[in-house]
Amino acid sequence: MRSHLAAVRRSASVQGRVVYALLMREILTRYGRHNIGFLWLFVEPMLFTTGVTILWTLTQALHGSSLPIVAFALTGYSSVLLWRNMPARCIGAIDPNLALMYHRNVRAIDIFLARVLLEAGGATISFVTLSLFYIYIGWLEPPADILTVAGGWVMIAWFGAALGMFLGAMSEKSEMVERLWHPISYLAFPLSGAAFMVDALPPAARKYVLYVPMVNGVEIVREGYFGEQVRVHYDFFYLLACCVALTWLALSQIAVINREVTPE
């Protein structure tokens, strides 16, 4: 038993070092060493989120709640960046890293993990930094329940990571995945719960919109952020089931890729 545990610890240690090395390589390849370098990792999503917040504020966008538009935009658009960017980075990720797979310890899942961790880290730092800044200048109140916010955020990140790895694996089989994902991701934005509260919808529509997994995650984040100020609707176990099923599909397709993809 102890020998098996020791072998697992050694394997986990090796994979951890591999993922870390790929993560550092991805940062240097994407952001380089010039100007602010890797700081673009979270400055870029901060600029996007701030831009959307300003735009929604200037246009007095309707969002179906009494929440300040700044708070609404922050919790909504930050969540979109979290789940949408991971698939975009995983699709087509194998080809530019194919030479690395000559090393027996480097597998497709390591390449995907490095990319989803990078995107999740950037979106999380952006969300936390903007939250603290808006709280400091008086645009936001501190979250009502930080643990609920963190729980919802983790679930959205899990969904995005599983979706990203699944689409990344499928993109190795067909280039149509990359071509279809971009329009689908934009069309999914208005359905993701970022721009509306489920409670503002007609009762007949609430049941159907909650079939969109991201909506449940955004509602959990907003419940933790605003507490009793909002009335939320979500099905945590449905979101959990979607994440588990998507993770299983992703891992099964990655296993196929490991057998089929051979470095040239």
Side-chain angles (χ1 to χ4, degrees):
M1 182 66 178
R2 290 182 180 179
S3 61
H4 289 300
L5 290 175
V8 170
R9 284 196 295 267
R10 284 195 300 272
S11 297
S13 177
V14 169
Q15 184 164 25
R17 291 197 298 271
V18 168
V19 172
Y20 178 76
L22 291 171
L23 188 64
M24 293 297 102
R25 180 180 183 272
E26 186 69 22
I27 290 174
L28 291 175
T29 302
R30 192 185 305 179
Y31 302 107
R33 301 176 184 270
H34 304 291
N35 298 319
I36 62 174
F38 82 96
L39 293 179
W40 280 114
L41 173 64
F42 54 89
V43 171
E44 186 176 3
M46 284 173 63
L47 292 175
F48 274 118
T49 305
T50 302
V52 170
T53 300
I54 293 172
L55 179 63
W56 285 10
T57 302
L58 292 177
T59 58
Q60 295 296 306
L62 298 175
H63 54 284
S65 79
S66 59
L67 298 175
I69 194 67
V70 172
F72 192 85
L74 174 65
T75 54
Y77 197 70
S78 294
S79 301
V80 170
L81 290 179
L82 180 62
W83 66 261
R84 194 174 70 181
N85 284 1
M86 288 190 247
R89 292 297 182 182
C90 287
I91 292 173
I94 298 297
D95 190 57
N97 292 284
L98 195 59
L100 296 175
M101 296 183 69
Y102 274 117
H103 302 281
R104 63 187 181 88
N105 289 324
V106 179
R107 294 290 183 267
I109 192 170
D110 300 316
I111 295 170
F112 291 141
L113 282 175
R115 294 202 169 196
V116 299
L117 288 173
L118 189 59
E119 293 304 321
T124 302
I125 294 172
S126 168
F127 181 55
V128 172
T129 302
L130 286 176
S131 295
L132 293 175
F133 176 69
Y134 290 159
I135 290 170
Y136 176 74
I137 64 177
W139 287 4
L140 277 181
E141 294 294 326
D145 187 341
I146 294 178
L147 290 179
T148 301
V149 174
W153 190 259
V154 167
M155 293 303 294
I156 297 172
W158 182 4
F159 174 80
L163 179 63
M165 290 191 288
F166 174 67
L167 293 179
M170 295 302 295
S171 69
E172 293 302 310
K173 298 182 177 182
S174 173
E175 63 180 19
M176 288 297 294
V177 174
E178 182 175 8
R179 297 182 184 277
L180 291 175
W181 169 247
H182 294 291
I184 289 174
S185 66
Y186 284 105
L187 292 173
F189 171 74
L191 299 175
S192 67
F196 63 86
M197 294 290 297
V198 175
D199 194 59
L201 300 176
R206 293 173 192 165
K207 173 183 176 182
Y208 297 102
V209 79
L210 288 176
Y211 285 125
V212 181
M214 303 85 78
V215 173
N216 296 272
V218 175
E219 290 282 298
I220 296 172
V221 169
R222 285 181 172 148
E223 179 184 44
Y225 230 99
F226 306 112
E228 296 181 355
Q229 295 181 58
V230 294
R231 183 182 177 187
V232 298
H233 303 265
Y234 61 83
D235 186 339
F236 175 81
F237 292 104
Y238 171 74
L239 177 57
L240 178 63
C242 288
C243 290
V244 170
L246 203 51
T247 301
W248 181 82
L249 287 172
L251 293 177
S252 64
Q253 291 303 311
I254 290 171
V256 173
I257 285 181
N258 283 328
R259 293 194 298 268
E260 294 181 350
V261 174
T262 303
E264 296 178 358

